[in-house]
Amino acid sequence: MTAIPIPLQALAIRDKKVYVFGTPQLPVSPVRIYLDVEGCPDEGYDYLVGLIIVEGDKEQRFSFWADDRDQEDWTFQQFLATVTNYADFLVFAYGGYERAFVRRMQKRAERKTVADRVLKSMVNVNALIYAHVYFPTCSNGLKDVGASLGCLWTDPNASGIQSIVWRMRWEATHDEHWKQQLLTYNMEDCVALRRVTEFLYSISATSESAQEPRTATESKPRVARVEEIDRLGSVNRRGKIQFFHPDYEYINNCAHFDYQRQRVYVRTSRMLKKNRKKPRRYRNRKLRVSQRVQIVSKKCPSCGGMELIHWERGKKVSGYSTKRKKAFDLVFTSGGIKRRVIECRTSIHECLQCGKIFIPDRYQGLAKHFHGLMSWAMYEHVAHRIGCPMVKEMFQDFFGLAVCHQEITKFKSIMARYYRPGYKKLLDKIMSGQVLHVDETEMKLRTGKGYVWVFATAEDVVYLYRPNREGDFLLELLKDFRGVLVSDFYTAYDSLNCPQQKCLIHLMRDMNQELLDNPFDEELQSITGPFGTLLRAIVGTIDQHGLRRRFLGKHELGVAKFFQALTAQSFRSEAAEALRARLIKYQEKLFTFLRYDMVPWNNNNAENAIRRFAYYREDTPGRLKEAGLRDYLALLSFCHTCRYKSVSFLKFLLSRKQDVDTFCQGRRRKRRRPAIEIYPKGVVRPDFAGANRGNTEPNTTGE
Ligand SMILES: [Zn+2]
């Protein structure tokens, strides 16, 4: 399964539309050949070559079948002989499998030049889709994409693994039935490939509308062009310059730092030549396996039957593995961190009761990176503010592990999801406290602006994302709040119906600025002077006794006198009058803390938390998307809460506890590490690092 950029894909699924980005460039030829090859991946040979040849209105279908390995050459010769009937043709295939087949056969074919022509005329339809089209499907597999265009398969269960089992059955029994199943399945793939390709032609630059006679049964999906790709935020085109001359663009691209090092200097520098980046294919493949896990299902998922057999290479085996994949983890000991490579194996299972063929869910959903590894990455990212590209380098340098940028980004969402219940709990806890500090700040996102609110007590912090600065949501959020709200003078807080304490540091700074602006205003000084004396006396008491109502209560008289005098006065000075109005307006909210225990007179707790976030904001100006920011804020809430409670954020993450209080209570007890970890529902194993593909940029020409 190919991993695909999520936002546009999600949009496509939601709108049930096909989104087209840019214009696919398809080559033109009078003859189009649709090729699909079936093989036994375990044994390394292919046994069925299916093709549909379309020339004008004429369509021909061919299937070349090999009984065993020896006949493989024959199928290829037949294929070449059919193709050579045409002077000019294009061969379409879905994915890289067919190309690998032709290339492998070419090496031992007699008619090398014909095979060469086939290779040159091959077009990978999957790559074209990857670059340009977002179908309303969960994957870019031929089954899903074809189905969205109305293609049907005779056997609804038809799939890659199903076909392997059919072939195994045929090899075991030589029953014609299984062969027929395979021939049908293969030809239906060709038909689907044809339909998908013709759909691409219909939206491409070389669209020949006359050539697509659409039948009534063909379902036409709605197509939308993505012109404002930036607004939709799926492809990062930040800082891309529009060049008037194509030549300028070419020259500009040639000057990129990486390009120069890899293409230009490398020609003359021996050192660079030696260190040239290796192709990114299978980079983690050679790592030594530290643990092997065999995954076997005991029960059929559809009927619950317990009688299962396992398939491998045309024969039944017991619990023997035919499929394997790797997972990676980091293990923390008191003396260091160690890489762990886990290899999971499983076999294709068949239920004898209902005939269901399946691979265990635990194998399908196997996480590629386990909790310990993700914890380390997120710890570095959130606590030390190390960017994802740098974390990637650290993985390589410290652990010899290739983890790509997108995967690290994905860790963030997986981890945020894991900690979501704890995040909710944290927010509830803060909302039920005696004191609540609140503050907010703005953040530039890739698509416009967002706002981050922070809610804090002396030992807990929660960051919350809001798309706008409006405070309406506070009414709902704080409807059960019974404590004192500490905030700055932002008007959104004014309407909240709870005792409030405004930050007096803010007020004092504002007053100070007024004094500096109006140095000779004696009326102004007649307010600020007594206010300073009053506050200084209060702070003195706090210094001595802490925030205790018993000791602070004696200042209430002074406060009352201050306001009494202020109300009676009137000023000619504008600045003094404005300050008087402000103080009287907030009269009830300036000295609330005198009547409570443990309510501070400033908003330090929230402002400190906001500052932590501001550092991060500097590191990622306008690069984040809303979902990424939400995930980050959830993790940052835990990081900062740990800091307030003086416990290690890393140890908290590694403990797998979902909230910090539980972690603090039961710190001694150690949980056993599970042998394997499974992704939560809906998370797809990423294949970015080149498990299927050589590089992350697909080629549009099929090369
Ligand atoms: Zn069953």
Side-chain angles (χ1 to χ4, degrees), residues 300 302-305 351 353-356:
C300 165
S302 73
C303 76
C351 172
Q353 207 165 306
C354 72
K356 167 97 179 162

Side-chain angles (χ1 to χ4, degrees), residues 387-498:
C388 292
M390 211 58 86
V391 174
K392 173 186 153 181
E393 259 176 49
M394 287 162 79
F395 268 122
Q396 188 71 60
D397 290 345
F398 294 178
F399 306 109
L401 260 180
V403 180
C404 75
H405 181 209
Q406 291 95 319
E407 286 173 330
I408 297 170
T409 312
K410 201 163 177 137
F411 294 170
K412 199 163 64 178
S413 78
I414 293 175
M415 292 293 267
R417 195 178 156 131
Y418 180 79
Y419 287 104
R420 209 170 289 157
Y423 180 63
K424 177 89 195 11
K425 226 166 131 184
L426 195 57
L427 187 62
D428 289 347
K429 185 186 165 199
I430 289 176
M431 289 306 155
S432 61
Q434 294 301 309
V435 189
L436 171 61
H437 296 264
V438 60
D439 202 355
E440 91 298 321
T441 187
E442 191 182 300
M443 165 94 180
K444 193 172 177 298
L445 293 174
R446 202 186 286 180
T447 51
K449 270 189 227 161
Y451 293 85
V452 172
W453 293 72
V454 62
F455 300 93
T457 67
E459 48 175 66
D460 297 290
V461 185
V462 155
Y463 295 86
L464 208 67
Y465 170 82
R466 296 294 302 173
N468 53 52
R469 204 180 170 212
E470 280 151 35
D472 301 348
F473 78 101
L474 291 169
L475 281 175
E476 174 62 27
L477 191 66
L478 293 177
K479 69 175 192 295
D480 295 328
F481 177 64
R482 295 284 165 266
V484 179
L485 181 77
V486 185
S487 71
D488 58 19
F489 289 86
Y490 178 42
T491 48
Y493 306 120
D494 291 352
S495 59
L496 293 171
N497 190 21
C498 60

Side-chain angles (χ1 to χ4, degrees), residues 433-437 457-458 481-486 499 501 541-542 545-554 556 591-601 605:
Q434 294 301 309
V435 189
L436 171 61
H437 296 264
T457 67
F481 177 64
R482 295 284 165 266
V484 179
L485 181 77
V486 185
Q501 172 63 48
T541 307
I542 295 171
H545 301 289
L547 292 164
R548 281 146 89 184
R549 183 177 147 195
R550 208 167 63 141
F551 297 97
L552 290 172
K554 67 178 179 211
E556 281 199 77
F591 293 96
T592 314
F593 70 100
L594 297 178
R595 300 192 295 273
Y596 290 86
D597 279 330
M598 294 303 292
V599 176
W601 51 280
N605 284 333

Side-chain angles (χ1 to χ4, degrees), residues 59-103:
E59 185 203 83
Q60 285 178 285
R61 299 183 174 196
F62 300 92
S63 297
F64 305 118
W65 171 270
D67 281 348
D68 51 41
R69 185 189 285 276
D70 297 340
Q71 288 180 9
E72 189 189 22
D73 279 325
W74 176 84
T75 61
F76 189 64
Q77 293 309 329
Q78 291 297 309
F79 166 62
L80 288 188
T82 316
V83 166
T84 41
N85 292 331
Y86 304 94
D88 186 7
F89 58 83
L90 287 170
V91 178
F92 294 91
Y94 206 88
Y97 193 83
E98 281 70 23
R99 177 175 203 78
F101 165 72
V102 175
R103 191 175 279 161

Side-chain angles (χ1 to χ4, degrees), residues 259-378:
Y259 179 90
Q260 292 211 358
R261 285 184 74 87
Q262 284 168 35
R263 293 283 185 80
V264 183
Y265 297 144
V266 98
R267 296 181 202 275
T268 46
S269 154
R270 191 178 289 178
M271 190 270 285
L272 278 178
K273 193 178 273 179
K274 213 178 95 194
N275 297 337
R276 172 139 58 161
K277 274 192 191 159
K278 305 264 162 21
R280 314 198 332 157
R281 209 169 266 260
Y282 311 127
R283 280 179 308 173
N284 285 329
R285 187 175 251 189
K286 287 198 178 138
L287 300 181
R288 198 177 57 82
V289 173
S290 33
Q291 191 187 351
R292 290 196 165 77
V293 180
Q294 177 80 39
I295 300 177
V296 182
S297 275
K298 296 241 159 63
K299 229 163 138 186
C300 165
S302 73
C303 76
M306 307 280 274
E307 268 185 279
L308 301 173
I309 52 171
H310 306 268
W311 284 97
E312 153 107 348
R313 294 188 187 170
K315 54 184 183 288
K316 283 177 258 176
V317 289
S318 54
Y320 193 65
S321 62
T322 174
K323 287 180 146 299
R324 65 179 84 172
K325 57 187 173 190
K326 277 183 186 155
F328 307 96
D329 199 6
L330 294 181
V331 180
F332 292 73
T333 64
S334 52
I337 313 175
K338 219 178 141 187
R339 178 187 78 201
R340 209 162 62 105
V341 180
I342 304 103
E343 187 184 78
C344 286
R345 296 158 172 248
T346 194
S347 55
I348 298 175
H349 292 47
E350 182 181 359
C351 172
L352 287 181
Q353 207 165 306
C354 72
K356 167 97 179 162
I357 290 186
F358 66 97
I359 285 174
D361 280 347
R362 276 163 62 75
Y363 181 82
Q364 299 281 47
L366 178 76
K368 185 171 179 184
H369 302 99
F370 288 179
H371 192 88
L373 184 144
M374 292 196 289
S375 297
W376 182 78
M378 285 305 105

Side-chain angles (χ1 to χ4, degrees), residues 494-524:
D494 291 352
S495 59
L496 293 171
N497 190 21
C498 60
Q500 293 196 28
Q501 172 63 48
K502 295 294 168 192
C503 176
L504 294 187
I505 291 277
H506 260 87
L507 180 63
M508 229 177 61
R509 280 193 211 127
D510 289 352
M511 284 181 174
N512 192 47
Q513 192 57 48
E514 283 295 306
L515 288 169
L516 292 176
D517 292 345
N518 307 283
F520 307 110
D521 191 332
E522 283 180 12
E523 286 182 336
L524 189 61

